[in-house]
Amino acid sequence: MNRKILFALIIVGLLAVSAVSAQNFGFLNNNNDDSMYQVSLMQAFMHGEYNGVISVGDLKSHGDTGLGTFEGVNGEMIILDGVVYQAAADGSINVMSDNETVPFATITSFDEDGNIANITAKNFDDLTGQLDKTIEKYGTNNMYVVKIKGDFSNITVRSVEKQEKPYKEFTQVAAVDQKVFNHTDQTGTVVAVYFPEYMNELNMHGWHLHFLSDDKTKGGHVLGFSNLKGSAQIDEIHEFNMILPTDDTFAKMNFTEDMSSKISSVE
Ligand SMILES: [Zn+2]
């Protein structure tokens, strides 16, 4: 067969295949990068594995949007537009240098597969309920990262004080060294990450929200809010990559305990 004709046939074939698969997806665009990259696992973190696994610089090579924390649970991490921010326990927001290290994080290269042009929510449960309904259409067994931009009449965030070794379990850290901040009239972005039920304990099932104000002065792990008016962009994710800690603490950790109730109590 003439090579040009063969080439044309292959192209036509590929187009037909992609048209069929596009129809099969509930989701709109299904843009390009659909991978999530995770540092460590929630179970290890809950057990007090706060040693850095990779650097902030390396983390940024895996995406531009996400959340996590820093070595020793030194505050909450919000990754937005490729910048890694720390919401510190003293309430300040800092851009973290590439040399800092990361014990736990999830990050993706955000691309908008769908959106909610106007979203209003009375509170946290109202918002996550609406997000649940939205992703039910596309499949609750996918992972999602959602950016919600808007105005909050009130938002409550927490951060955590840096821990010293020997590290205690995270439930104890949250009980003793958690700092809670309540801010009124904030405009900013919530980065929300959703993991399906079968990934509970690897991360955590459901929605995990971190906030950063537009003026980059306030933020943290979202505990609650009231009266959100804004919009949401949704990134549907189909691929998961995980890097494990390489230290002895992790290698010898006992993972037989069911941590799900502890995870939901602090997150
Ligand atoms: Zn958090």
Side-chain angles (χ1 to χ4, degrees), residues 95-161:
V95 174
M96 291 304 250
S97 84
D98 286 354
N99 305 327
E100 298 285 339
T101 62
V102 179
F104 184 81
T106 46
I107 186 169
T108 190
S109 293
F110 193 91
D111 61 89
E112 184 183 317
D113 294 320
N115 66 70
I116 307 170
N118 292 297
I119 190 164
T120 59
K122 289 194 290 285
N123 54 40
F124 192 103
D125 288 345
D126 185 14
L127 174 66
T128 53
Q130 290 184 50
L131 293 176
D132 279 340
K133 284 223 172 66
T134 303
I135 66 165
E136 269 166 27
K137 286 186 271 179
Y138 309 121
T140 52
N141 290 334
N142 301 316
M143 293 162 278
Y144 296 90
V145 175
V146 179
K147 283 199 283 192
I148 303 134
K149 292 177 205 259
D151 301 321
F152 300 79
S153 63
N154 196 288
I155 189 160
T156 305
V157 291
R158 74 115 192 268
S159 185
V160 175
E161 278 187 28

Side-chain angles (χ1 to χ4, degrees), residues 6-68:
L6 180 62
F7 184 68
L9 283 174
I10 289 170
I11 295 294
V12 168
L14 286 174
L15 287 173
V17 168
S18 56
V20 168
S21 39
Q23 277 176 1
N24 288 342
F25 285 115
F27 231 146
L28 331 157
N29 301 327
N30 235 293
N31 281 327
N32 8 353
D33 186 280
D34 278 326
S35 69
M36 182 89 84
Y37 184 88
Q38 180 169 308
V39 179
S40 190
L41 56 156
M42 182 63 89
Q43 262 181 313
F45 178 76
M46 292 300 297
H47 280 297
E49 175 59 291
Y50 311 142
N51 293 320
V53 178
I54 67 169
S55 69
V56 163
D58 283 345
L59 182 69
K60 288 195 292 193
S61 71
H62 296 284
D64 54 24
T65 306
L67 45 79

Side-chain angles (χ1 to χ4, degrees), residues 57-96:
D58 283 345
L59 182 69
K60 288 195 292 193
S61 71
H62 296 284
D64 54 24
T65 306
L67 45 79
T69 186
F70 302 94
E71 171 131 11
V73 211
N74 187 13
E76 304 280 347
M77 176 196 288
I78 309 114
I79 311 154
L80 195 58
D81 303 323
V83 181
V84 176
Y85 298 92
Q86 175 207 37
D90 65 1
S92 66
I93 301 292
N94 309 293
V95 174
M96 291 304 250

Side-chain angles (χ1 to χ4, degrees), residues 205-225:
H205 172 220
W207 297 97
H208 184 176
L209 279 58
H210 283 196
F211 171 76
L212 183 66
S213 66
D214 276 357
D215 62 8
K216 315 285 193 281
T217 62
K218 297 178 184 73
H221 173 101
V222 180
L223 295 175
F225 66 80

